[in-house]
Amino acid sequence: MTDRNANLEILKSGCTFDMLVIGGGATGCGIAVDAASRGLSVALVERGDFGCGTSSKSTKLIHGGVRYLESAVLHRDRVQFNLVRDGLRERNILLKIAPHLCHQLTLVTPLYGLAQVPYVWAGLKLYDLLAGEAGLGHSRFVGRGEMLRRFPMIRAEGLKGGVQYYDGQFNDVRMNVALAQTAAREGAVIGNYVEVVALMREKGRVAGALVRDPLVGASWQVRARCVVNACGSSADIVRRLDDPTAASLLRVSRGIHIILPGSFAPAGAGVMIPKTDDGRVLFILPWEGACLVGTTEEPAEAGEVPVAREKDVDYLLRHLRRYFNLGAKPGDITASWAGLRPLVHDPFTADTAELARDHVVSCSPTGLITIVGGKWTTYRKMALDAVDFAVSNAGLAPRHPCRTDRIVLQGGENFTEELLKELERKHGFPPDVTRHLHRCYGDRSLEVAGYCRGALGGRLVPGHPYLKGEVLYAVHHEMALRALDFLERRVPLGLLDRKGARAAAPVVVELMTAELGWNPERQTRELEEVADALCEV
């Protein structure tokens, strides 16, 4: 990314952009990539750090949505059907445009009733059929014996077998950074920690925003021919800056995840329980060397800071014991976190689990464009629809059509196994560190490794592959401005091991202080913020 201070100077210059995007999560950054690559002038502002909300708190799956397919068939719901179809197509695109951050994942669904066997098998075969040439492999029935051999942690009592199928998995925090970097590469002017405090109007139309940099307290106006609200679960808050009486477009739900040591994860696959006794979906997945378990889902309030409450953690542990012979206890949990899911509001549906994850693009009478709903997997399709809508409604004149299905994200263009061998040959890092650099930074990994020489090549914390030099790279090239930016959103240490992240915090603060010139008060505040955000599970 370009230097943040240089970007802010452009945002302060008084020029009028074609588009101002509010929100630096997956959707907002995806819109910036799409619009800038079409030749439009784009500004993007994010009130916190890139991906600091829902986009860093996902289940880490790239999927069409098996659960939505069941609803589509049972209820003849075309919206859900289209969502699955689009998701499967987008899954294939993401695996191609971000090969360093996305990979195929084998999943199995255990079956405990004979009636389930043909039902679930037929459903997953339909899933394969919808994927067509974009499929990742053929679903198949797995007998009881094979299931118990491969997944001895699965409860054996009543087990009839299972169905194996394929989806994708990704590193969401790094994906969001890659999108922001790609937007900047395509010409967008982006700024994190730039908060919209008011919308500007000219002749009754939204014509930009008054923004504020909370780090220094400065405010200024950013003018634009079109303003797009891509704020996820906070979208209604921005809509009410335009119209205080605007009715809610969203029903927000809260998803919870816990992290266990990797020894609890299934070997080489994930396990999905499609419907628990209370109708929810339960995943147990290998992720970044650990075991990810999620997710519960219940109504929440937009704007709240989501946390994993004790009762939510108890729910997940209780259901783990019900379906798996794992013996996981609260003391085994290394991290827990929650994210808000922005679901399109349906006044006739009380249960958020029944709401579609499809997205909606709308325009207010004053011209504010809002996109809500959707999911990580379909961020690119959401961006395409939002930019098409903006072009049609705001009279923008792009020089190129959408081509984001072919634009490889930052780090993926020259990502090869040969690069991994070159990393090994030139730097001699331990194997886990080499793999991390290769998968996390892709074709930028040699550049990152250059920051990790001498003492800076040491690990931030034992047991994890993250190096001290990565902190400097994040400050210089990835707009990391706070310790938590690095610990949670440039590497996922805070999402994997809160104790480890707290132990690493003093080193991170020391390194960032040397680069950013923090005074002692700021250093203390940074450490306190890490301690508060990453408190004991």
Side-chain angles (χ1 to χ4, degrees):
M1 287 183 234
T2 52
D3 179 76
R4 177 178 182 267
N5 291 331
N7 285 0
L8 296 192
E9 288 304 311
I10 298 173
L11 291 177
K12 294 174 181 177
S13 68
C15 65
T16 299
F17 294 89
D18 289 322
M19 180 182 292
L20 169 62
V21 182
I22 307 173
T27 306
C29 288
I31 291 169
V33 172
D34 190 317
S37 65
R38 297 194 202 193
L40 299 172
S41 59
V42 179
L44 179 146
V45 295
E46 161 59 48
R47 69 177 178 180
D49 187 32
F50 302 114
C52 64
T54 301
S55 294
S56 61
K57 304 295 193 302
S58 76
T59 309
K60 324 302 182 189
L61 288 175
I62 309 169
H63 63 112
V66 172
R67 164 177 154 191
Y68 313 139
L69 181 60
E70 179 185 25
S71 179
V73 173
L74 290 179
H75 304 295
R76 299 181 182 180
D77 187 333
R78 181 168 293 276
V79 171
Q80 301 266 23
F81 186 85
N82 290 339
L83 183 66
V84 176
R85 182 196 59 197
D86 289 345
L88 290 169
R89 179 175 182 272
E90 294 301 314
R91 180 188 69 181
N92 188 53
I93 292 172
L94 295 193
L95 288 165
K96 291 179 179 177
I97 67 173
H100 54 313
L101 300 172
C102 306
H103 62 271
Q104 179 179 312
L105 178 68
T106 302
L107 289 152
V108 294
T109 296
L111 305 174
Y112 288 93
L114 286 175
Q116 283 186 303
V117 175
Y119 180 76
V120 175
W121 182 83
L124 288 170
K125 280 298 181 185
L126 178 58
Y127 198 60
D128 293 345
L129 184 63
L130 281 175
E133 294 182 357
L136 301 179
H138 296 293
S139 302
R140 70 178 182 91
F141 178 75
V142 180
R144 184 178 188 275
E146 182 182 350
M147 285 286 289
L148 292 176
R149 281 195 305 275
R150 290 174 58 189
F151 310 106
M153 79 284 291
I154 291 178
R155 179 170 58 85
E157 182 183 356
L159 182 69
K160 307 303 179 186
V163 176
Q164 176 175 295
Y165 69 104
Y166 303 91
D167 258 322
Q169 191 176 48
F170 75 133
N171 184 333
D172 56 359
V173 292
R174 291 301 311 175
M175 187 80 159
N176 210 130
V177 171
L179 280 169
Q181 290 175 313
T182 306
R185 187 186 73 197
E186 294 295 325
V189 180
I190 63 176
N192 53 347
Y193 295 102
V194 180
E195 179 184 11
V196 171
V197 295
L199 295 175
M200 298 162 45
R201 290 191 189 179
E202 290 183 2
K203 299 179 181 179
R205 304 285 294 177
V206 171
L210 175 66
V211 302
R212 177 178 175 271
D213 179 350
L215 299 181
V216 297
S219 298
W220 67 94
Q221 293 181 344
V222 178
R223 303 175 63 82
R225 297 177 181 87
C226 170
V227 177
V228 179
N229 169 15
C231 292
S233 60
S234 298
D236 281 334
I237 296 173
V238 174
R239 290 175 62 244
R240 290 181 184 124
L241 292 177
D242 177 46
D243 176 7
T245 66
S248 295
L249 281 177
L250 294 176
R251 178 78 61 79
V252 179
S253 74
R254 196 163 51 90
I256 309 299
H257 300 79
I258 60 174
I259 297 291
L260 297 167
S263 57
F264 286 91
V271 179
M272 182 193 75
I273 306 299
K275 188 173 289 187
T276 60
D277 52 9
D278 59 354
R280 301 182 185 185
V281 178
L282 180 68
F283 285 99
I284 176 169
L285 308 170
W287 186 66
E288 296 293 311
C291 177
L292 184 155
V293 181
T295 173
T296 65
E297 188 168 344
E298 60 183 47
E301 292 296 327
E304 74 174 58
V305 178
V307 295
R309 298 177 299 197
E310 185 176 353
K311 71 172 188 176
D312 301 315
V313 173
D314 288 344
Y315 172 93
L316 289 176
L317 290 177
R318 187 169 65 251
H319 279 76
L320 272 181
R321 289 191 291 269
R322 186 169 303 174
Y323 293 100
F324 303 96
N325 302 314
L326 286 174
K329 304 179 294 296
D332 296 315
I333 298 171
T334 59
S336 64
W337 28 271
L340 296 180
R341 313 284 178 77
L343 309 176
V344 179
H345 176 63
D346 180 347
F348 300 105
T349 300
D351 186 357
T352 57
E354 296 298 321
L355 294 179
R357 268 57 173 178
D358 204 3
H359 61 274
V360 170
V361 185
S362 63
C363 187
S364 75
T366 61
L368 174 67
I369 295 173
T370 296
I371 181 164
V372 292
K375 58 181 182 176
W376 239 118
T377 305
T378 57
Y379 87 85
R380 194 202 66 86
K381 174 69 163 52
M382 296 168 66
L384 185 158
D385 291 346
V387 176
D388 280 351
F389 188 95
V391 167
S392 297
N393 285 267
L396 305 181
R399 296 195 300 271
H400 312 288
C402 176
R403 49 195 176 93
T404 52
D405 59 342
R406 303 181 299 282
I407 295 176
V408 178
L409 300 188
Q410 185 93 328
E413 288 182 303
N414 298 300
F415 174 72
T416 63
E417 288 302 309
E418 287 301 315
L419 178 63
L420 179 65
K421 295 175 184 176
E422 189 175 357
L423 265 174
E424 293 172 343
R425 186 172 63 253
K426 284 188 173 182
H427 294 279
F429 295 126
D432 65 325
V433 171
T434 303
R435 286 192 301 271
H436 154 64
L437 294 174
H438 185 241
R439 297 293 308 187
C440 191
Y441 300 98
D443 62 23
R444 297 297 191 273
S445 55
L446 287 172
E447 182 182 358
V448 179
Y451 280 80
C452 302
R453 300 180 186 275
L456 293 175
R459 296 176 190 259
L460 277 170
V461 65
H464 293 282
Y466 314 119
L467 304 181
K468 295 175 182 178
E470 291 179 74
V471 180
L472 303 191
Y473 184 83
V475 171
H476 289 183
H477 298 283
E478 297 180 343
M479 289 190 182
L481 299 175
R482 288 177 165 165
L484 275 172
D485 294 348
F486 179 80
L487 288 167
E488 281 199 324
R489 291 176 291 275
R490 301 306 181 274
V491 298
L493 180 58
L495 299 177
L496 293 167
D497 181 357
R498 289 189 166 187
K499 183 178 180 181
R502 292 197 306 275
V507 178
V508 172
V509 169
E510 180 183 356
L511 290 167
M512 294 185 80
T513 294
E515 299 302 309
L516 298 173
W518 290 345
N519 59 31
E521 291 76 18
R522 175 68 184 272
Q523 295 173 53
T524 299
R525 188 163 71 249
E526 289 289 330
L527 291 171
E528 289 173 348
E529 287 179 357
V530 171
D532 289 343
L534 302 178
C535 59
E536 291 289 347
V537 179

